[in-house]
Amino acid sequence: MPSTAPDVLLTDAGLVRPASVAAGIAPGPAVASRPRRRKTDLWPYLYVLPVLAVFGVFLLVPLVQGIWYSFTSWDGIGPAPWAGLSNYISIWTNPVMREGLANTGVLVLFYAGAPIVAGLFTAALIGRRGMRGMGFYRTVLFLPQVLSSVVVIVIWRLLLAPAGPVNQSLGAMGLGFLRADWLGSFSITLDVLGLIGSWVAFGFCMLLFLAGIQAIPTELYDAAKVDGASPVREFFAVTLPGLRGQMAVAMTLSVIGAFQAFDIIWLVTQGGPGTSSVTPAINLYNDAFVSQNVGAAAAMGVVMLGASLVVTLVIVRLVEGRRNA
Amino acid sequence: MKHRRHVLPLAVVATLALPPAGAMAQGSSRHLPAQGQHITLTELDWNPTGPDSTFFNEVNKAFEQQHPGVTVQRTAISFNADVSTIRLRAASPSAPCIIGANEGWSGVGALAKDNLLVPLNKYAQQYHWFTRYPTAVLAQQMVSANGKELGTGTLYEMATVLAGPQSIYYNKQLLSQLHLAVPSTLAQLEHDMAVAKAHGIVPMELGLQDQVQITVPLYQVLDAVTPAKQLSNFVYGIGKPTVASIGMTKAAGVIQTWAKDGYFPKDELGISSSQAQNNFFAGQGLFFPAWPGYSGTAAQDARTGVFALDGPNGRAEDQDNSNQPLGITRSCKYVSLAAQYLNYVSGPAAGRVAVHLGLVPQISVQGSSAGGDLLFRSELGLANRVAASNGYVPYFDLSTLTMLTTLERAGQSLVAGRMTPQAFTAALQSDYSAFHGS
């Protein structure tokens, strides 16, 4: 973040950090009055050393190892013969791998798009101050987020079984023509699994946006009302711009969640029927634990990491770019 | 597969009191405990729950009683956890002394190739394992010296007494109502299913959402159209077999025809195998293809029987493996003692424990009774019949590391009519060729 112009925030007490002003916190000590830094101040580094050590041992070292193994045909035991780029090439040449990547595109819509839209809508509805029972709604709607994947799957498998409540209800309402083999169809199962993912992610997005709405100054809403803005206009003119930061967080996390989609799909279809719901993470698992080709699994992991980083950078760029504009 | 039978605790206790067969056999060894020495023998298997778990607890207790100073420290993990981590566990310097690895290339094949298991031929001779078990069962634990063939060479694991033959359960009441006989050939099975279909009864309960159940009817048909020896050679990679040469296209065609003719329940791809099981025991279907040990309440069991299709020559042939083979890791300090354990857990005493727990044994168990459970007696009869003809065939999917996954995925496409039998065979051949190289 570039620093803001200091003369704007010049007070009688001296230079004050802009964040303190924005948050309404009492002015901090003047920068001008700070003691001069010692030449070799190692204490801060010593304080963070334990965290850095843990970070290095449990994240950086495995990351570097994983990247190294992605260029080998290591089977998980013993030596790791050099394989060059073959693991990466096979990701693009293997039809099942390509299908997994294509399915991720569909899942992004369900894991990121749908929960964000639904979360925004719900947060706008129940986020208005003074609304009664907001705590109850918030708890109920957030509940799927705290359920374990296994519980989620048990619920949905029961609901979506061929003779389950969903098909029975459709039949009872005279909508029998809509009945489907929801979790056993080559054409719709991936979408259904995506919807289950949406249901899980929705609560998180909603809660994030609710928190964001609480932080939007009430004066802005008052001003909108004075100007005669309708609730819809108020949403687009005040709420939505005020939630840009939260949207960036929600989009980043949910898109990464789509890239890493595994548990729900594995527990229901294991990538089936056929290969219609395979994902990169399922392919990674099969490479590592079924094919005993850890090198290929590592390559898939690196591709997933790279894709996640790119998506994060793009989202941050978009949001920060607009913020700075 | 997990077994759910009525446990007979008193019978088990009585069984354990019987003298052990082959315990502390033929002299001592430098790996046996000295007088007063305490030894902990670590053991890993994939039976964390159910009667199979009880079996190991009881057998381990009995082994400890016969070997004062020895404690068997058991670790039980799920089958999937075992398959995915067994190589890392076996390679660890602190690996369990006795370890359970699945048959095939992912288990015993990989561990033998990585030199992580102790060869057992010496102990097989010492304890007469090759005469105790059908050769078709022990062959599944053997790996060639170059590590490129299974079913031949050195014995690296010993089958425990627990058996796992595939079979088809049938509803006795429905069969009787339809005036049908228990089938033993493919033609008879298809006739029975056609009659059931005509009477509005689901001919075969099948749930393919979790994929794996497709293997049972497919293997049953394969067993019926292809001789056991030919199937075994294919799985073990002996000669230059192809998937088409073992009758897979014909078997796949039969399965697809059954699906098209409505012999499976509607929306079978959206039903889990456990739901299919529930439907069968609720009386909804005539047949239910599965592994042994599927059962319901006593009343449901009483109206259930089991059979397997005969081989093409009329012999009793069936795909089967040991439900829990065990090997000895290289890091084990007490190899001879561990071999004694393997001898005990594959012997008659362990067999009696299995029978009393309602678990089908690999060997004919004398002096035991299956009690009044007719379904279990039916399973025992089938197992003894196949064992007597040495008709066990290794599971087809043990032929490569990834064959099960390939078969399950292609099987769903086959049943859904999105893949021809020829394309199905080609998919399996592609997997086989990629692994064996051709």
Side-chain angles (χ1 to χ4, degrees):
Chain A
M1 285 288 291
S3 59
T4 51
D7 52 339
V8 176
L9 302 174
L10 188 63
T11 68
D12 292 339
L15 287 171
V16 178
R17 283 176 292 181
S20 304
V21 172
I25 299 170
V31 172
S33 63
R34 281 180 183 168
R36 290 180 64 195
R37 289 183 65 195
R38 283 177 291 175
K39 281 183 181 173
T40 54
D41 196 352
L42 291 176
W43 283 108
Y45 298 102
L46 284 175
Y47 285 132
V48 297
L49 192 59
V51 175
L52 281 178
V54 170
F55 183 77
V57 170
F58 292 105
L59 198 76
L60 288 182
V61 172
L63 177 67
V64 173
Q65 273 186 323
I67 293 171
W68 163 253
Y69 285 134
S70 72
F71 295 103
T72 71
S73 55
W74 190 44
D75 66 358
I77 302 281
W82 181 254
L85 291 171
S86 63
N87 291 327
Y88 289 96
I89 292 169
S90 77
I91 290 175
W92 306 110
T93 56
N94 185 329
V96 178
M97 296 292 175
R98 283 204 307 269
E99 191 171 7
L101 293 172
N103 287 346
T104 300
V106 176
L107 291 178
V108 165
L109 294 176
F110 286 102
Y111 277 55
I116 288 174
V117 171
L120 268 175
F121 180 72
T122 315
L125 275 180
I126 68 174
R128 307 295 297 274
R129 286 165 182 76
M131 182 172 177
R132 296 180 67 181
M134 192 173 104
F136 171 77
Y137 293 126
R138 203 165 43 197
T139 304
V140 169
L141 294 172
F142 187 68
L143 199 60
Q145 184 71 35
V146 297
L147 294 176
S148 81
S149 303
V150 176
V151 174
V152 168
I153 288 318
V154 168
I155 293 169
W156 282 102
R157 275 171 75 159
L158 283 172
L159 289 172
L160 298 172
V166 170
N167 277 342
Q168 284 181 358
S169 301
L170 287 171
M173 290 188 292
L175 300 171
F177 62 94
L178 290 176
R179 291 167 62 135
D181 188 4
W182 305 105
L183 298 176
S185 162
F186 279 82
S187 52
I188 61 168
T189 294
L190 179 67
D191 299 334
V192 174
L193 292 168
L195 277 173
I196 297 174
S198 301
W199 182 73
V200 172
F202 159 73
F204 168 74
C205 293
M206 182 207 65
L207 205 68
L208 202 63
F209 295 143
L210 270 178
I213 287 173
Q214 307 297 315
I216 295 174
T218 52
E219 294 83 357
L220 295 178
Y221 286 103
D222 295 339
K225 280 199 181 85
V226 169
D227 289 344
S230 66
V232 175
R233 178 74 179 150
E234 186 184 289
F235 173 77
F236 284 104
V238 180
T239 307
L240 205 53
L243 293 177
R244 190 177 286 143
Q246 285 78 11
M247 283 183 65
V249 172
M251 279 179 73
T252 305
L253 293 179
S254 52
V255 168
I256 289 174
F259 275 111
Q260 297 177 342
F262 178 79
D263 50 357
I264 289 174
I265 296 171
W266 183 256
L267 288 168
V268 180
T269 64
Q270 298 179 19
T275 53
S276 63
S277 65
V278 290
T279 64
I282 285 177
N283 288 331
L284 186 156
Y285 177 87
N286 279 327
D287 273 340
F289 297 112
V290 177
S291 309
Q292 297 179 358
N293 190 348
V294 178
M300 180 54 83
V302 171
V303 168
M304 288 165 63
L305 173 69
S308 300
L309 281 175
V310 168
V311 166
T312 306
L313 283 174
V314 168
I315 292 170
V316 169
R317 263 293 169 84
L318 283 174
V319 173
E320 294 300 332
R322 288 193 176 193
R323 188 175 280 175
N324 292 336
Chain B
M1 289 298 104
K2 300 299 168 222
H3 302 246
R4 295 174 184 83
R5 300 270 180 220
H6 307 293
V7 179
L8 304 173
L10 290 175
V12 172
V13 172
T15 299
L16 297 177
L18 292 171
M24 299 300 287
Q26 288 97 7
S28 62
S29 159
R30 60 193 170 89
H31 295 310
L32 292 178
Q35 192 75 25
Q37 185 187 1
H38 186 267
I39 286 177
T40 298
L41 200 58
T42 47
E43 178 257 311
L44 174 84
D45 62 72
W46 64 60
N47 301 283
T49 58
D52 305 71
S53 182
T54 309
F55 167 83
F56 275 96
N57 289 336
E58 298 296 342
V59 166
N60 289 355
K61 203 184 299 175
F63 185 78
E64 287 171 352
Q65 286 172 359
Q66 288 150 20
H67 296 78
V70 174
T71 300
V72 182
Q73 186 181 336
R74 179 176 177 235
T75 303
I77 57 177
S78 72
F79 177 75
N80 286 338
D82 184 283
V83 169
S84 56
T85 62
I86 195 66
R87 294 169 73 234
L88 285 173
R89 289 175 189 270
S92 164
S94 58
C97 196
I98 297 160
I99 201 163
N102 197 23
E103 289 95 342
W105 293 107
S106 65
V108 67
L111 267 55
K113 198 173 167 187
D114 292 331
N115 198 28
L116 297 172
L117 293 177
V118 173
L120 298 176
N121 283 32
K122 177 178 134 188
Y123 301 103
Q125 285 183 345
Q126 183 179 345
Y127 296 115
H128 311 292
W129 290 343
F130 285 110
T131 53
R132 179 187 291 173
Y133 273 58
T135 50
V137 172
L138 287 192
Q140 297 186 36
Q141 333 299 335
M142 297 168 78
V143 184
S144 66
N146 61 7
K148 293 187 174 175
E149 286 180 355
L150 297 178
T152 182
T154 304
L155 185 75
Y156 280 100
E157 281 196 302
M158 180 56 194
T160 59
V161 79
L162 303 177
Q166 289 193 333
S167 45
I168 300 176
Y169 291 82
Y170 64 93
N171 185 316
K172 290 178 184 173
Q173 287 179 352
L174 290 179
L175 208 65
S176 172
Q177 281 172 22
L178 297 170
H179 306 293
L180 297 171
V182 179
S184 62
T185 66
L186 182 58
Q188 290 169 355
L189 175 64
E190 290 188 311
H191 170 261
D192 287 3
M193 289 201 292
V195 172
K197 179 70 182 172
H199 284 79
I201 296 167
V202 176
M204 184 174 279
E205 286 291 351
L206 194 70
L208 298 182
Q209 190 185 71
D210 42 358
Q211 301 183 328
V212 72
Q213 205 192 352
I214 186 65
T215 62
V216 191
L218 181 68
Y219 293 174
Q220 282 291 313
V221 177
L222 203 56
D223 290 346
V225 300
T226 309
K229 183 69 180 169
Q230 210 176 325
L231 287 173
S232 297
N233 285 346
F234 175 85
V235 173
Y236 295 145
I238 296 171
K240 297 268 183 192
T242 63
V243 181
S245 72
I246 58 165
M248 183 57 82
T249 307
K250 184 179 179 183
V254 169
I255 295 297
Q256 192 168 62
T257 303
W258 289 358
K260 280 180 184 164
D261 290 348
Y263 288 179
F264 303 141
K266 190 175 179 295
D267 296 333
E268 67 275 75
L269 295 183
I271 301 172
S272 66
S273 56
S274 58
Q275 184 58 50
Q277 177 196 351
N278 291 341
N279 293 343
F280 172 76
F281 280 108
Q284 291 181 22
L286 180 60
F287 296 116
F288 175 61
W291 297 263
Y294 276 90
S295 68
T297 63
Q300 288 169 338
D301 282 5
R303 67 169 184 233
T304 306
V306 68
F307 70 95
L309 294 181
D310 285 344
N313 302 321
R315 286 175 67 226
E317 293 175 351
D318 197 11
Q319 306 224 2
D320 166 79
N321 59 4
S322 168
N323 226 358
Q324 178 64 80
L326 293 172
I328 302 172
T329 54
R330 286 282 183 184
S331 56
C332 180
K333 293 176 186 167
Y334 311 108
V335 175
S336 294
L337 183 64
Q340 282 186 19
Y341 177 86
L342 296 190
N343 182 55
Y344 188 75
V345 81
S346 60
R352 283 188 287 273
V353 176
V355 169
H356 285 299
L357 289 170
L359 304 172
V360 178
Q362 289 279 9
I363 55 175
S364 179
V365 177
Q366 304 297 322
S368 65
S369 164
D373 189 330
L374 293 176
L375 175 56
F376 183 50
R377 289 167 75 93
S378 180
E379 287 178 337
L380 271 181
L382 171 65
N384 287 337
R385 203 168 144 255
V386 180
S389 69
N390 198 24
Y392 284 126
V393 184
Y395 285 130
F396 171 85
D397 52 78
L398 296 176
S399 53
T400 75
L401 277 175
T402 52
M403 185 60 85
L404 181 61
T405 304
T406 303
L407 190 153
E408 289 174 343
R409 288 174 170 177
Q412 289 181 319
S413 298
L414 180 78
V415 169
R418 297 171 66 96
M419 184 181 261
T420 64
Q422 290 77 14
F424 177 80
T425 300
L428 303 191
Q429 182 63 50
S430 175
D431 186 294
Y432 194 78
S433 300
F435 184 76
H436 291 280
S438 62

